[in-house]
Amino acid sequence: MGRIIAIANQKGGVGKTTTAMNLAGSLGVLEKKVLLIDADPQANASSGVGHNPKEITKGIYECLIGQATAKECILENKSPNLDLLPASIDLVGAELELVNLEEREYRMKKVLAPIRDDYDFIIIDCAPSLGLLTLNALAASDSVIIPIQCEYFALEGLGKLLNTIKIVQQRLNNNLIIDGLLLTMYDTRLRLSNQVVEEVKTHFQEMVFKTIIHRNVRLGESPSYGETIVIHDASSKGAINYLNLASELLKKLELATVETE
């Protein structure tokens, strides 16, 4: 049964989509079968792996409102072992339409149930808000990864997100856990970056991934080619960072499995 991981933070510009795309791509390169779900109305993950959102006729929106099944909407990509459940511009209206539907917080969970066994990992790129789309993703997921940029306001809003996750754990999904906090956009030249790393590690200790994602030109340009970083430039710092993250995540999950046995 595939593990479902939401990449969530209500702050924009923290590297959520970059992480969702490239963690999914890296797990694919490590021979895991992966589905990337674009649950952000901006549809950046869809375009980032090479699909034009304007040309997408069926995607996660149609699945959520019951007009299509996930199997009918899944697209292939250049990245090995990576499929995409895309977003189209219609997703903007999904929040409003979901409000009146039965079991509105569990729509995503129902959509994924029939395909869950087809994948090792299902990675959900969440919208930069704590609305119904993000709640659906958290209610459907086994765990969540929270990207935090190494900048001045890094910890601002994190308390609110952790609070939301706590509410989701209590009311919608008792099994949801936090895989870890991921430090992104790290610039070795800036003292501030180092201060943020220290602060986050002091506050959250074991919850923080050892892997840190550095600022990297190749990482920034790869979506404009419609490629994950491991396809765009496998030797770049960005590719190495995300492959390390994928390996660290797999080790973490193996350890957790051993401990529960």
Side-chain angles (χ1 to χ4, degrees), residues 3-168:
R3 184 180 184 84
I4 304 175
I5 303 175
I7 313 293
N9 192 329
Q10 80 274 26
K11 277 171 76 81
V14 297
K16 250 193 322 291
T17 301
T18 303
T19 295
M21 272 175 53
N22 293 306
L23 174 58
S26 298
L27 287 166
V29 166
L30 297 175
E31 300 189 340
K32 300 292 177 189
K33 186 113 178 61
V34 188
L35 174 66
L36 172 63
I37 298 177
D38 191 351
D40 181 351
Q42 295 173 72
N44 290 339
S46 301
S47 59
V49 293
H51 294 279
N52 183 349
K54 289 176 186 163
E55 292 169 8
I56 286 161
T57 51
K58 279 194 292 196
I60 188 67
Y61 167 76
E62 284 72 20
C63 296
L64 289 171
I65 61 166
Q67 287 182 358
T69 65
K71 262 203 168 88
E72 293 169 340
C73 303
I74 287 169
L75 303 170
E76 291 183 345
N77 304 286
K78 295 180 202 172
S79 236
N81 300 315
L82 177 64
D83 289 343
L84 172 75
L85 182 47
S88 65
I89 199 74
D90 292 337
L91 197 57
V92 173
E95 298 259 340
L96 291 172
E97 290 183 52
L98 286 171
V99 169
N100 300 317
L101 296 177
E102 268 178 54
E103 297 203 295
R104 58 190 185 184
E105 291 93 353
Y106 295 107
R107 303 294 292 192
M108 180 93 71
K109 192 173 188 173
K110 285 181 176 164
V111 167
L112 299 183
I115 58 162
R116 192 169 178 162
D117 290 342
D118 301 343
Y119 295 94
D120 297 308
F121 288 92
I122 296 175
I123 308 280
I124 307 175
D125 181 29
C126 294
S129 73
L130 295 177
L132 259 178
L133 282 172
T134 300
L135 283 181
N136 258 273
L138 294 174
S141 296
D142 299 302
S143 59
V144 56
I145 291 174
I146 303 169
I148 301 172
Q149 84 278 45
C150 296
E151 286 171 10
Y152 184 66
F153 292 116
L155 297 177
E156 196 181 73
L158 187 58
K160 196 175 178 188
L161 177 63
L162 294 173
N163 208 30
T164 301
I165 289 169
K166 206 171 275 181
I167 293 165
V168 170

Side-chain angles (χ1 to χ4, degrees), residues 17-19 21-22 43-51 78 216-229 232:
T17 301
T18 303
T19 295
M21 272 175 53
N22 293 306
N44 290 339
S46 301
S47 59
V49 293
H51 294 279
K78 295 180 202 172
N216 179 242
V217 173
R218 305 296 272 168
L219 194 56
E221 72 186 16
S222 70
S224 64
Y225 291 86
E227 296 172 338
T228 60
I229 188 63
H232 184 60

